[in-house]
Amino acid sequence: MTGTASPAIHISGAAALQDETRSPVPSTQREGLTVSMLINGQPYQFNIDSRTSLLDLLRDHAGLTGTKKGCDHGQCGACTVLTDGRRTLSCMSFAAMNDGWEITTIEGLSSADGDLHPMQQAFIDHDAFQCGYCTPGQILSAVACVEEGHAESDADIREYMSGNLCRCAAYPNIVAAVKQARNEMEKA
Amino acid sequence: MTTSEAAPLPRENMGQPLARVDGRLKVMGRANYPADIPVNNLAHGLLVASGIARGRVQELHLDEAHAVKGVLDILTHDHIRGELEPPEFGTSGSSSIGPLHDDKIWHDGQIIALVIAETIEAAREAAMRITVDYKEEQPSTSFGSEGTETVAASEVSQQFKEDVKAGDFETAFDAAEVKIDVEYGMPTHHHNPIEMFSTTAYWQGEELTVHEPTQNVYGWKVEIARQLKIEPDRVRVISPYIGGAFGSKGPITPRTAIVALAARRLGRPVRCVVTRSQSFTTQTYRAETRHHIQMAAARDGRITAFKHEGWEVTSRPDPYVVGGTKTTGRLYNYGSVLTKVFLVKTDRPTPSYMRAPAETPYIYALENAMDEMAVALNMDPVEFRRVNDASQDAIEGKPFSSRSLMQCYDEAASEFGWSKRNPQVGSMRDGDWLIGMGCATAVHPANVAPCAVRITLRDDGHARVQTASHEIGTGVQTVAAQLAAEHLGLHPSMVQVEMGDTRLPPAPVTGGSSTTASVCSAIIKACEEIREKLARAAVTANDGPLAGRDPASVLLKNGRLVAADASQALKDVFKHVGSGVIEQYTEFRPDGASPDAVSNLYQGKMEMVSGEKGDMIKYAFGAEFVEVRIHRRTREIRVPRVVGAFSGGRIMNTRTARSQLMGGMIWGISSALHEATEFDWRSARVVNRDLQDYLVPVNADIQDVKVILVPETDTHVNLAGVKGLGELGNVGTAAAIASAVHHATGKRIRELPIRIDNLLG
Ligand code: FES
Ligand code: FES
């Protein structure tokens, strides 16, 4: 039998299907790509492989490892960042698509003098994490959730925070944290 | 601090709900998990996994992959043979299956190559361009598949030497008036911590450093060294923060030594992040189990006979045993007990431990049977447990060191409002929703292991606690800071904690809910030694307010050494010591551990004293109550309420304790209604290998989860009086839900997970 292996991205199915996932242009002919963006208020410029995801760009090229990789498939929410203020799964976005955009990562949420954003403080107050790995994504999602006006009721918060998995299952504490921060963000 | 349900007021024998000491780092994205550590000149590795479950690799076609720009190396079995010692089953090793040691394929998704490239993108492209010629054989997937082999666990396992039993089951069962004979099943589960598995390895001369999320830095150091055929002293394993583990990061992976070898071949650091789909086949998992229970009781509800047989999936070569009969056989006052565990060998990876490995499946079966028996007896399920509550274990007649099971039932039942439950099946409704209520026992052995710690106290009142334990999210760093502060008379903010590095004193694997007990016992012992040193210096001094006192009567409090009517500031006491700092290195060996237990710890061989060992049975208990709502037409299942009451001896921090138990109960909901690893039975391959198809609860699946911490003092378990809570919460929940589903619908679903399709029709 001749078949393909199961490499990085698993495609369950025939070998032909996997062949389609192969890059049509051999990488020997690939050119680097230049992208610029404003990350946490700082201008950055990168020369990257055109296939680089925004997540890998942040972690491996910008050194901002606060943004986490939990699946690389848009299924867990750990990689959530704000792009021009909207929550985005950075693993599902090519870096090149964000050329010229403003990106906020967890590192940019607290003020330069170390004051925490009300959402960050609320996560501490309500023990809204255990291992902390999903937390940067949860916090950015929660900030957007409040700003979108989707944090009015517990049921809304649960629904609109359901794109962020927490395997430690801090969910009830996350809901409590979002409520506290919502009240403070609305006051501010 | 705000008033929050997250910070319960401590009751008797409970510590304060101090907020996590690593909280600030974690909410700022500054807690460095192993794949976050910046490393210069990093090359990226990517695994290539087998597309068949059984057979041989005939040929790997690598030319196209090598041609990809940026590819540095591709390792296959041709490169590994002879370079590495094969992995071994047992202790730190999860499996004897050594991928790349030869061409044999033992299971789906086995590692068949490792691609190293300058970038992740190039590695991914190269991996895609590898094709494989296989010689495929027909694999066996699970119970009932052709070609499996069934063996008695006690005949093949070093860890599980006998099946517990007591009395004459057959006679008692035959004679009984009321009896049940039922079968249950729990599917394969994968831990799926949100942090992806990864290895980063680099060499500095002859010294190897490995950054990897692990629950067992010492065990891994020794095992990595063995596989690489070098001295353990040349290996350093670092894992300061771990993004969830649940058992998945305890056993050494088949990948780690291979990545280290790749880094040595290249002469540069290599980081290999395992894709989510690969983690379903290159990491461990919870074995699929089947259970057969026969139970009999007298009309008054007293159980007279209990039989529990278990069948567990394992790999071809390794006899991994789940073996929960050692707990189910001891839980109630049964009269007679008969148990037997069988292993079913299949073409799958070797399973290993996952959150309450033995209790989650086995207590699920037992507690379901308890509910079925209560129904058969027409008894209230809580009263049925009360009638069969035990003061000694049913197997050896040993007393329980403490057992607050019925207190847990009473507190949880009252909070839940159990008295309002109408026992009649299908009788409770709210509009279109059928309401069901169920309950179950949670139980987990109180385990403890040897542990070493170094505590440094400075005359300015700063302290540092160092031990190679692991912060997987349990809050052990917080608890360590809090406890050291309490015993040294300092504010917790003055205590710095360092963990997760083999340069620190050895600590056991973070597993079996033994960490708080083991680490805290070592800290208490070390702090007492520091107090003694300071006290002795102060009382034997020529002058000073404490001169001439009894050293046992002075304590450390608020930065001072304090006697009944006099005290001295730490700074001044240190002058008598003749140094500005005390560095205390302490080894803790639990009662019942072998004389070599501590020296074995340095060799990476862990000896856990489990709850059944010794003159007493040491278990933590809990009682869980759930309400389910099932839509009359769509059969959608919701869980609006869960209440759990738990007794775990000393509670070090009510905040972190509550969070662990809450997370555990949500895991229980997940095992009841959500998660299962599904297989294509023809090919023994995992079908749902991602987080979209492997279901775990999302926020919207979870509503009210209430945790009650029931006060309990147990001086027998260990020096710290701690029983451990990490695994208690998810035991029993699934049975409570299955019982509630029965109460709502009259349907007894015995195979998990319970999904809408089980309830239709
Ligand atoms: S890493 Fe992007 S959604 Fe999981
Ligand atoms: S805190 Fe661990 S995954 Fe959310």
Side-chain angles (χ1 to χ4, degrees):
Chain A
M1 170 190 166
T2 297
T4 50
S6 295
I9 299 162
H10 175 77
I11 311 284
S12 53
L17 230 185
Q18 293 200 340
D19 284 338
E20 280 173 22
T21 68
R22 292 184 187 186
S23 153
V25 184
S27 56
T28 38
Q29 293 162 28
R30 268 170 201 284
E31 292 291 314
L33 193 75
T34 304
V35 296
S36 350
M37 50 189 90
L38 208 59
I39 306 176
N40 302 328
Q42 300 288 319
Y44 282 80
Q45 195 172 63
F46 307 95
N47 192 272
I48 50 165
D49 186 309
S50 58
R51 297 166 295 183
T52 307
S53 69
L54 178 57
L55 174 58
D56 288 337
L57 174 120
L58 290 169
R59 290 179 55 82
D60 293 339
H61 298 260
L64 296 168
T65 53
T67 307
K68 303 301 182 200
K69 185 182 282 191
C71 68
D72 225 7
H73 278 45
Q75 299 170 344
C76 75
C79 64
T80 306
V81 297
L82 304 181
T83 56
D84 282 359
R86 292 182 52 203
R87 40 178 163 168
T88 300
L89 298 177
S90 60
C91 72
M92 295 298 279
S93 178
F94 286 117
M97 292 158 63
N98 295 272
D99 194 21
W101 286 51
E102 238 179 81
I103 315 289
T104 305
T105 70
I106 192 70
E107 290 92 343
L109 205 58
S110 43
S111 69
D113 53 13
D115 281 349
L116 296 181
H117 185 282
M119 193 62 77
Q120 291 172 308
Q121 187 59 48
F123 266 62
I124 295 176
D125 292 345
H126 294 275
D127 210 37
F129 52 89
Q130 293 182 39
C131 77
Y133 195 81
C134 71
T135 310
Q138 299 276 3
I139 289 176
L140 288 164
S141 223
V143 168
C145 180
V146 171
E147 281 168 1
E148 293 156 10
H150 288 143
E152 294 309 310
S153 67
D154 286 16
D156 261 8
I157 295 171
R158 286 189 201 113
E159 189 64 32
Y160 285 93
M161 287 302 291
S162 279
N164 292 78
L165 296 181
C166 178
R167 186 58 157 160
C168 299
Y171 296 130
N173 292 358
I174 291 170
V175 174
V178 174
K179 282 200 285 188
Q180 174 181 313
R182 173 200 66 200
N183 296 343
E184 283 169 34
M185 286 165 72
E186 279 168 2
K187 264 188 267 159
Chain B
M1 196 188 306
T2 55
T3 54
S4 163
E5 220 186 307
L9 277 183
R11 299 167 75 184
E12 196 189 323
N13 200 26
M14 296 182 193
Q16 292 297 320
L18 181 72
R20 288 172 198 265
V21 296
D22 51 8
R24 207 178 144 82
L25 280 182
K26 285 183 174 175
V27 300
M28 294 178 82
R30 293 220 194 125
N32 273 340
Y33 300 82
D36 298 339
I37 313 276
V39 178
N40 277 337
N41 195 26
L42 190 64
H44 295 268
L46 189 61
L47 300 175
V48 181
S50 157
I52 67 165
R54 176 175 169 149
R56 290 189 181 276
V57 173
Q58 275 180 328
E59 201 174 347
L60 279 158
H61 303 279
L62 305 177
D63 292 351
E64 270 196 50
H66 275 299
V68 171
K69 186 177 162 192
V71 168
L72 299 166
D73 198 1
I74 302 176
L75 272 73
T76 68
H77 64 262
D78 291 335
H79 308 102
I80 299 294
R81 198 172 293 136
E83 293 283 327
L84 296 177
E85 284 293 329
E88 287 172 352
F89 173 67
T91 55
S92 304
S94 61
S95 178
S96 66
I97 296 172
L100 305 196
H101 281 265
D102 57 27
D103 59 2
K104 191 167 163 60
I105 300 217
W106 294 87
H107 61 80
D108 171 31
Q110 181 179 313
I111 300 166
I112 54 172
L114 171 66
V115 178
I116 318 283
E118 292 285 355
T119 64
I120 298 175
E121 295 78 24
R124 199 177 288 145
E125 181 184 351
M128 290 282 184
R129 291 181 184 277
I130 294 175
T131 54
V132 195
D133 295 342
Y134 295 109
K135 185 168 171 3
E136 195 175 5
E137 294 166 32
Q138 180 58 44
S140 312
T141 306
S142 185
F143 305 119
S145 297
E146 223 171 282
T148 61
E149 185 195 345
T150 302
V151 292
S154 57
E155 281 165 25
V156 291
S157 169
Q158 296 299 312
Q159 286 79 35
F160 189 88
K161 295 214 172 85
E162 70 173 329
D163 291 293
V164 297
K165 60 173 194 278
D168 182 353
F169 167 82
E170 302 292 348
T171 309
F173 189 75
D174 288 346
E177 289 175 85
V178 185
K179 46 185 107 174
I180 57 168
D181 186 331
V182 279
E183 286 180 24
Y184 303 99
M186 186 173 271
T188 301
H189 290 157
H190 276 83
H191 314 73
N192 277 311
I194 300 298
E195 177 189 25
M196 295 174 72
F197 298 97
S198 70
T199 305
T200 305
Y202 53 86
W203 296 79
Q204 287 153 304
E206 299 292 291
E207 312 278 314
L208 169 67
T209 303
V210 175
H211 295 274
E212 176 157 346
T214 164
Q215 297 167 257
N216 189 12
V217 287
Y218 259 82
W220 285 31
K221 162 178 129 155
V222 173
E223 179 59 18
I224 292 166
R226 191 190 66 77
Q227 289 188 26
L228 286 162
K229 306 186 218 184
I230 59 176
E231 285 304 311
D233 286 350
R234 288 172 42 198
V235 180
R236 181 177 179 196
V237 180
I238 307 176
S239 196
Y241 292 103
I242 296 105
F246 318 113
S248 64
K249 293 163 182 169
I252 185 114
T253 82
R255 163 194 78 247
T256 309
I258 298 172
V259 175
L261 180 68
R264 189 164 70 189
R265 281 165 61 95
L266 268 181
R268 66 187 269 196
V270 174
R271 172 167 294 158
C272 173
V273 177
V274 178
T275 69
R276 182 57 65 178
S277 77
Q278 290 170 345
S279 72
F280 281 81
T281 58
T282 65
Q283 297 286 148
T284 61
Y285 63 96
R286 187 195 298 288
E288 188 175 345
T289 54
R290 289 268 179 284
H291 306 261
H292 176 215
I293 288 186
Q294 289 175 296
M295 190 184 277
R299 285 256 167 249
D300 63 5
R302 277 179 307 108
I303 301 171
T304 54
F306 170 60
K307 180 176 174 183
H308 194 163
E309 292 171 294
W311 287 264
E312 308 169 357
V313 159
T314 188
S315 63
R316 289 279 173 202
D318 301 324
Y320 176 79
V321 182
V322 178
T325 45
K326 65 186 189 324
T327 305
T328 59
R330 289 183 164 93
L331 188 49
Y332 296 109
N333 188 8
Y334 297 114
S336 63
V337 178
L338 192 60
T339 68
K340 187 90 187 163
V341 174
F342 299 93
L343 301 182
V344 178
K345 299 194 163 201
T346 61
D347 297 299
R348 299 255 290 266
T350 306
S352 190
Y353 43 87
M354 175 163 164
R355 206 167 190 177
E359 287 70 28
T360 297
Y362 277 81
I363 294 291
Y364 160 68
L366 168 61
E367 286 301 296
N368 254 307
M370 289 297 284
D371 194 71
E372 298 210 44
M373 199 70 209
V375 171
L377 287 160
N378 202 15
M379 263 182 99
D380 177 80
V382 177
E383 289 317 301
F384 180 52
R385 273 130 178 143
R386 196 184 309 279
V387 167
N388 291 290
D389 194 23
S391 56
Q392 53 185 47
D393 90 282
I395 305 299
E396 295 163 281
K398 293 196 280 195
F400 288 94
S401 63
S402 60
R403 178 170 166 124
S404 310
L405 177 62
M406 292 323 298
Q407 286 92 312
C408 291
Y409 264 105
D410 291 340
E411 287 206 28
S414 128
E415 170 68 31
F416 184 80
W418 182 252
S419 58
K420 295 191 204 90
R421 172 183 184 260
N422 179 343
Q424 188 63 40
V425 164
S427 64
M428 299 182 75
R429 287 194 177 207
D430 179 4
D432 277 338
W433 294 90
L434 310 176
I435 297 174
M437 296 181 180
C439 63
T441 297
V443 59
H444 196 270
N447 303 322
V448 60
C451 183
V453 62
R454 184 189 297 115
I455 297 187
T456 314
L457 177 66
R458 291 208 316 248
D459 60 359
D460 62 0
H462 281 90
R464 189 171 59 185
V465 177
Q466 294 171 302
T467 179
S469 190
H470 318 84
E471 179 55 271
I472 60 174
T474 56
V476 63
Q477 294 200 358
T478 306
V479 158
Q482 193 174 357
L483 184 70
E486 182 189 322
H487 283 261
L488 297 174
L490 307 172
H491 190 271
S493 64
M494 303 295 269
V495 183
Q496 184 199 341
V497 179
E498 287 174 28
M499 292 186 178
D501 187 334
T502 46
R503 291 225 170 130
L504 304 174
V509 59
T510 291
S513 297
S514 66
T515 292
T516 305
S518 313
V519 169
C520 288
S521 293
I523 289 175
I524 291 172
K525 191 170 172 218
C527 289
E528 174 54 21
E529 285 160 353
I530 292 175
R531 189 203 63 82
E532 247 178 57
K533 270 188 198 167
L534 289 171
R536 208 162 289 282
V539 302
T540 55
N542 290 324
D543 50 23
L546 299 173
R549 310 270 170 154
D550 173 9
S553 71
V554 290
L555 300 173
L556 286 160
K557 264 188 212 159
N558 302 325
R560 304 179 73 81
L561 199 54
V562 180
D565 54 355
S567 72
Q568 191 171 21
L570 216 46
K571 206 160 197 68
D572 299 325
V573 180
F574 266 92
K575 287 185 188 138
H576 302 305
V577 180
S579 153
V581 57
I582 292 182
E583 189 179 280
Q584 183 63 41
Y585 191 96
T586 295
E587 293 166 339
F588 163 71
R589 184 172 69 88
D591 290 344
S594 73
D596 302 333
V598 173
S599 52
N600 281 340
L601 185 65
Y602 289 84
Q603 315 302 318
K605 284 187 229 132
M606 221 265 309
E607 190 181 313
M608 196 174 285
V609 182
S610 65
E612 298 85 28
K613 281 208 191 131
D615 304 335
M616 290 182 169
I617 300 290
K618 298 160 211 124
Y619 281 171
F621 290 96
E624 299 186 18
F625 288 73
V626 301
E627 177 183 317
V628 301
R629 288 183 172 230
I630 295 163
H631 195 272
R632 191 167 63 88
R633 293 179 194 280
T634 65
R635 300 281 146 169
E636 180 185 354
I637 313 167
R638 307 290 297 162
V639 182
R641 287 194 309 138
V642 191
V643 177
F646 304 93
S647 59
R650 166 92 182 159
I651 303 299
M652 303 305 303
N653 176 321
T654 56
R655 175 194 296 259
T656 54
R658 171 184 171 275
S659 279
Q660 273 210 292
L661 290 163
M662 184 181 77
M665 286 198 282
I666 295 171
W667 265 58
I669 296 173
S670 184
S671 68
L673 302 175
H674 298 254
E675 61 191 288
T677 309
E678 318 269 2
F679 290 85
D680 174 351
W681 277 58
R682 295 155 305 180
S683 65
R685 301 199 64 196
V686 180
V687 177
N688 57 342
R689 55 181 87 195
D690 60 31
L691 289 173
Q692 167 181 293
D693 293 328
Y694 185 93
L695 303 183
V696 297
V698 300
N699 207 322
D701 289 311
I702 303 304
Q703 299 180 42
D704 280 359
V705 182
K706 174 108 190 157
V707 174
I708 300 168
L709 299 167
V710 175
E712 183 183 68
T713 300
D714 189 328
T715 53
H716 303 291
V717 278
N718 48 64
L719 191 55
V722 164
K723 286 183 171 180
L725 301 172
E727 295 169 278
L728 183 61
N730 63 313
V731 179
T733 328
I737 290 176
S739 303
V741 167
H742 174 262
H743 179 230
T745 64
K747 281 188 195 282
R748 186 69 72 173
I749 312 299
R750 300 187 179 91
E751 296 270 335
L752 295 180
I754 302 169
R755 299 234 172 105
I756 290 175
D757 42 320
N758 302 122
L759 299 177
L760 289 172

